[in-house]
């Protein structure tokens, strides 16, 4: 069984994001980049499936600029077997990524597509669902537990009311949530081994996919700064401020 894990290169979660002066986007020059945390969880889960004897091969794929190779090498160091880079300088939106992944699925023939539920830069939470729709595969989103056996996937997913367990036949698209696992620490020997693992580079044209953006970003702005809080002497003063200043009651 082959598992395909798409990963995205994003601004590191520890970095404070700054908006460009012209409002066209966020500043990425000289900013630390890393693997999207949810995607890292997906890679870890795929490697665990392989270690348990459920999966035979883990293939990671990324779509974007040439620097995404660094992110793919990190996934290979975690334990993935092969990597694919769909290299393009175009702005990739969720639908374009889903179409690229559909073409990769047709090329690789995996039984499971394991994705992070969302990327921490755009927070779109769309690619996994779009990929399932394009493939005509069942999907299980927000997975906090994954069990694969007898050609079926049993997924415990996080919902507003608690937990929900769903079962579906393979092939399947699964998007993972934060509490599925804790990714392992990447050791130096594995980083060195990752340099020798195969990494194939493709172009969107070779996959027959048009990645031109369908949406245009008009403006990016920082949220307004919050005003400092004030102390009130009693409950009556608090009610007065809530009614006359905040106008929430």
């Amino acid at each position: 069984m082959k598992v395909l894990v798409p990963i995205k290169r994003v601004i590191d979660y520890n970095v404070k994001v700054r908006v460009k002066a012209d409002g066209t986007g966020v500043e990425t020059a000289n900013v630390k980049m890393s693997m999207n945390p949810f995607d890292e969880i997906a890679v870890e889960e795929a490697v665990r499936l392989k270690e348990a004897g459920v999966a035979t091969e883990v293939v990671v794929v990324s779509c974007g600029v040439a620097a995404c190779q660094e992110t793919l090498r990190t996934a290979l160091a975690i334990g993935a077997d092969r990597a694919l880079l769909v290299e393009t300088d175009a702005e990739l939106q969720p639908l374009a990524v889903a179409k690229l992944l559909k073409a990769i699925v047709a090329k690789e023939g995996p039984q499971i597509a394991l994705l992070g539920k969302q990327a921490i830069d755009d927070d779109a939470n769309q690619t996994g669902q779009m990929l399932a729709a394009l493939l005509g595969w069942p999907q299980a989103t927000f997975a906090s537990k994954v069990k694969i056996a007898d050609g079926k996937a049993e997924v415990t997913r996080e919902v507003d009311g608690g937990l929900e367990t769903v079962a579906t036949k393979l092939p399947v698209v699964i998007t993972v949530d934060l509490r599925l696992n804790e990714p392992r620490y990447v050791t130096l020997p594995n980083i060195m081994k990752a340099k020798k693992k195969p990494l194939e580079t493709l172009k969107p044209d070779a996959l027959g996919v048009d990645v031109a953006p369908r949406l245009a970003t008009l403006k990016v702005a920082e949220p307004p700064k919050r005003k400092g809080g004030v102390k009130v002497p009693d409950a009556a003063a608090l009610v007065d401020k809530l009614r006359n200043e905040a106008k929430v009651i």
Side-chain angles (χ1 to χ4, degrees):
M1 179 187 299
K2 184 185 294 187
V3 181
L4 181 72
V5 186
I7 61 177
K8 186 177 184 181
R9 180 175 180 263
V10 299
I11 296 176
D12 189 87
Y13 68 94
N14 287 312
V15 173
K16 180 176 175 57
V17 177
R18 293 179 292 112
V19 175
K20 291 181 178 178
D22 58 5
T24 57
V26 297
E27 191 61 63
T28 56
N30 300 317
V31 173
K32 182 182 178 183
M33 309 292 283
S34 62
M35 189 189 309
N36 179 49
F38 291 104
D39 298 344
E40 190 173 4
I41 292 170
V43 174
E44 173 67 26
E45 190 66 21
V47 173
R48 292 188 185 188
L49 289 174
K50 183 185 175 185
E51 291 173 343
V54 176
T56 55
E57 186 180 25
V58 176
V59 181
V60 289
V61 57
S62 189
C63 306
V65 296
C68 291
Q69 291 187 32
E70 301 172 11
T71 311
L72 288 169
R73 292 293 180 192
T74 301
L76 292 173
I78 293 174
D81 300 296
R82 291 191 294 116
L84 297 169
L85 171 61
V86 183
E87 187 177 347
T88 176
D89 293 327
E91 177 194 351
L92 291 176
Q93 296 175 348
L95 181 58
V97 174
K99 289 180 178 179
L100 289 171
L101 294 178
K102 178 189 176 185
I104 294 294
V105 167
K107 178 178 182 295
E108 292 291 331
Q111 285 70 52
I112 301 174
L114 201 57
L115 300 81
K117 70 170 185 177
Q118 65 193 73
I120 63 172
D121 51 2
D122 57 15
D123 277 330
N125 183 19
Q126 295 175 344
T127 304
Q129 293 87 329
M130 288 178 170
L131 175 61
L134 291 172
L135 291 171
W137 287 10
Q139 60 177 301
T141 56
F142 314 136
S144 60
K145 185 177 180 180
V146 176
K147 181 181 178 182
I148 309 294
D150 302 322
K152 295 182 179 179
E154 186 176 291
V155 178
T156 300
R157 53 192 306 270
E158 299 187 353
V159 295
D160 291 340
L163 299 176
E164 176 186 54
T165 301
V166 296
T168 179
K169 294 181 180 179
L170 303 182
V172 64
V173 174
I174 300 173
T175 70
V176 308
D177 213 331
L178 190 65
R179 281 159 287 279
L180 178 60
N181 61 52
E182 183 176 343
R184 68 195 66 189
Y185 178 77
V186 179
T187 62
L188 182 58
N190 286 335
I191 292 174
M192 300 307 292
K193 290 177 183 177
K195 294 181 179 180
K196 298 180 181 179
K197 291 183 178 180
L199 194 159
E200 181 183 356
T201 301
L202 303 168
K203 295 290 185 181
D205 292 343
L207 297 172
V209 178
D210 177 15
V211 296
R214 265 63 174 178
L215 304 173
T217 301
L218 301 181
K219 185 180 180 181
V220 178
E222 292 185 3
K225 293 183 178 180
R226 295 179 61 181
K227 297 180 179 179
V230 296
K231 291 183 178 181
V232 294
D234 50 40
L238 174 62
V239 171
D240 179 69
K241 285 185 175 294
L242 290 175
R243 178 177 292 124
N244 299 313
E245 292 186 21
K247 299 186 184 301
V248 294
I249 59 175

